[in-house]
């Protein structure tokens, strides 16, 4: 931790304000790390995660084949989407179009979560030797993928989001 004293006077400028905000943020994170309020819930989640039959998948998620964890790679898409949505909030003329499409976008995102959950359940069932149940979960996942495609097609073609006139 930085040992210098923070100058919070109004004449100190933006650098001092940033130092103050940074110190406050780090202090908040320190408190969060030390709190025990969420420990029971954390233990439940840990037991659930550790009980998953991941095998080689655990190594993939930890990034062993890549040489680095997979999480930093995976977060790029949702972070980029959220950043783009925030930028579009400030583009003139997009306020009216963005509001109705937000519900469609939310349904599109939720359908992706459902598809992922179905395929995860399918893999889990198959790893446990229940291939019939695995196939049923995969069919549910495929149905969710169909919904994803229909919603994406609606936004891309009917609402013409991202469409450009041919030149």
């Amino acid at each position: 931790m930085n040992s210098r004293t923070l100058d919070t006077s109004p004449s100190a400028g933006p650098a001092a304000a940033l130092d103050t905000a940074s110190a406050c943020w780090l202090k908040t994170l320190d408190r969060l790390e030390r709190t025990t309020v969420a420990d029971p819930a954390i233990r439940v989640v840990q037991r659930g995660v550790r009980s998953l039959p991941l095998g080689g998948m655990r190594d993939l998620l930890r990034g062993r084949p890549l040489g680095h964890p997979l999480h930093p790679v995976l977060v790029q898409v949702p972070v980029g989407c959220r950043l783009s949505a925030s930028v579009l909030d400030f583009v003139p003329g997009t306020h009216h179009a963005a509001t109705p499409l937000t519900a469609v976008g939310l349904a599109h995102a939720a359908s992706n979560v459902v598809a992922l959950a179905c395929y995860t359940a399918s893999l889990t069932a198959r790893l446990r030797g229940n291939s019939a149940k695995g196939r049923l979960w995969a069919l549910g996942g495929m149905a969710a993928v169909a919904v994803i495609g229909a919603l994406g097609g609606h936004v891309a073609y009917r609402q013409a989001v991202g469409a450009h006139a041919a030149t």
Side-chain angles (χ1 to χ4, degrees):
M1 174 118 189
N2 199 338
S3 62
R4 67 186 171 140
T5 59
L6 298 176
D7 181 3
T8 58
S9 66
S11 63
L18 188 58
D19 283 347
T20 301
S22 178
C24 183
W25 174 247
L26 292 174
K27 188 182 293 185
T28 301
L29 289 176
D30 287 343
R31 286 186 191 135
L32 182 61
E33 289 173 351
R34 288 190 306 268
T35 188
T36 59
V37 172
D39 284 357
I42 291 169
R43 282 192 287 277
V44 169
V45 171
Q46 284 176 332
R47 278 194 302 272
V49 169
R50 288 180 181 144
S51 70
L52 291 174
L54 294 176
M57 184 61 86
R58 189 179 306 269
D59 285 343
L60 177 64
L61 292 174
R62 288 184 174 162
R64 195 161 284 153
L66 298 172
H68 58 80
L70 193 55
H71 181 264
V73 175
L74 294 177
V75 299
Q76 298 306 308
V77 172
V79 168
C81 290
R82 290 178 186 126
L83 176 62
S84 297
S86 295
V87 168
L88 289 175
D89 282 341
F90 295 98
V91 173
T94 60
H95 275 312
H96 302 294
T99 304
L101 292 178
T102 302
V104 177
L106 182 61
H108 185 73
S111 298
N112 275 285
V113 171
V114 169
L116 178 62
C118 286
Y119 282 113
T120 301
S122 173
L123 175 63
T124 302
R126 292 168 196 251
L127 289 173
R128 292 182 177 164
N130 195 337
S131 61
K133 189 183 275 188
R135 285 192 297 274
L136 288 174
W137 278 114
L139 282 175
M142 195 64 236
V145 167
V147 171
I148 292 164
L151 292 170
H154 171 78
V155 170
Y157 297 107
R158 186 158 187 233
Q159 299 298 329
V161 172
H164 301 283
T167 56

